[in-house]
Amino acid sequence: DVKVTQSSRYLVKRTGEKVFLECVQDMDHENMFWYRQDPGLGLRLIYFSYDVKMKEKGDIPEGYSVSREKKERFSLILESASTNQTSMYLCASSGTGGKQPQHFGDGTRLSIL
Amino acid sequence: RKEVEQDPGPFNVPEGATVAFNCTYSNSASQSFFWYRQDCRKEPKLLMSVYSSGNEDGRFTAQLNRASQYISLLIRDSKLSDSATYLCVVFKAAGNKLTFGGGTRVLVKP
């Protein structure tokens, strides 16, 4: 079974802090994704990566950056956290090809105070 | 207009009944389609892919209508455990990313 592990299930940070969310997958997948999920808005793609050191902006990249130094690890960084970044963050990975399903981590519920 | 639209529901379904709901997509270049299931406070999980000819997986049937740009999911003999939010997901090769609908909530009641 594919395992996607997110470093924290719940996280509370303060406005202005730099926040790191970590995601690790164990299936040697090329593609990794970061989403946020908010009530009424569904899942929205923040960033994704096809390969090590590669990244592409998703639909809502503002206020975020990412890092993929190793194939199995994809980090989401909130440069200066703001209250509107309070959300559920979901990491996913998939193999190459459009028909490959995405496998999600358990999610990190992040609160910015 | 959203790229992928779903009726948010909830669809209240008596146990044992059949429920069906649709998802419309706006981009005719969309290539692959999926239904994911998400339980409350859990991550989305792939339920089934949707093939052009339609496909079944046990009590679940998925259909694709390219002409009208929608996909559907039908659940027969609903179980209490089918209560969840069902996410419609569309893949376009251009951009190489999935777009998720907002989800349709289904509540199966005894």
Side-chain angles (χ1 to χ4, degrees):
Chain A
D1 265 1
V2 177
K3 185 71 177 171
V4 179
T5 304
Q6 293 184 229
S7 53
S8 304
R9 194 83 171 92
Y10 299 93
L11 204 54
V12 180
K13 295 290 182 181
R14 295 204 174 276
T15 303
E17 279 193 71
K18 191 168 186 177
V19 181
F20 294 85
L21 302 184
E22 306 286 349
C23 175
V24 177
Q25 50 94 4
D26 66 357
M27 282 302 292
D28 202 36
H29 281 163
E30 289 78 9
N31 301 330
M32 295 189 75
F33 308 83
W34 274 107
Y35 296 87
R36 64 179 282 177
Q37 187 173 30
D38 301 287
L41 297 175
L43 273 90
R44 293 181 291 167
L45 182 64
I46 304 170
Y47 267 97
F48 61 109
S49 168
Y50 298 127
D51 203 350
V52 177
K53 296 195 185 295
M54 294 186 70
K55 61 183 179 184
E56 295 281 344
K57 291 181 180 179
D59 300 316
I60 50 162
E62 296 78 19
Y64 303 94
S65 62
V66 289
S67 172
R68 189 143 181 227
E69 296 296 318
K70 294 185 178 181
K71 192 174 186 180
E72 67 270 20
R73 186 180 296 271
F74 192 36
S75 304
L76 179 70
I77 303 151
L78 286 65
E79 298 290 345
S80 177
S82 62
T83 54
N84 63 11
Q85 291 178 309
T86 292
S87 186
M88 168 69 92
Y89 289 87
L90 288 156
C91 174
S93 73
S94 74
T96 51
K99 292 195 181 293
Q100 295 299 314
Q102 291 188 4
H103 301 271
F104 286 83
D106 289 343
T108 296
R109 192 166 290 279
L110 175 64
S111 297
I112 307 295
L113 305 179
Chain B
R1 185 186 169 189
K2 287 183 184 175
E3 233 178 298
V4 180
E5 290 202 74
Q6 295 183 248
D7 183 337
F11 284 61
N12 293 301
V13 184
E15 192 175 8
T18 295
V19 61
F21 41 89
N22 294 339
C23 160
T24 58
Y25 60 94
S26 61
N27 194 319
S28 59
S30 301
Q31 293 182 294
S32 304
F33 307 88
F34 308 89
W35 283 105
Y36 278 67
R37 172 198 168 122
Q38 186 172 25
D39 294 296
C40 190
R41 297 186 179 275
K42 298 276 193 173
E43 75 277 19
K45 291 185 178 177
L46 179 68
L47 178 66
M48 58 197 300
S49 301
V50 185
Y51 302 125
S52 298
S53 54
N55 49 298
E56 266 189 36
D57 184 0
R59 297 181 292 106
F60 297 83
T61 300
Q63 296 277 356
L64 167 62
N65 186 316
R66 283 196 184 273
S68 301
Q69 294 185 198
Y70 73 87
I71 66 171
S72 63
L73 182 67
L74 181 145
I75 308 173
R76 283 186 303 278
D77 187 23
S78 298
K79 312 288 185 195
L80 297 177
S81 57
D82 293 334
S83 296
T85 296
Y86 292 86
L87 304 170
C88 168
V89 185
V90 172
F91 174 81
K92 289 192 314 259
N96 192 30
K97 63 184 179 81
L98 298 179
T99 301
F100 285 76
T104 294
R105 192 162 170 231
V106 172
L107 294 172
V108 181
K109 302 189 173 180

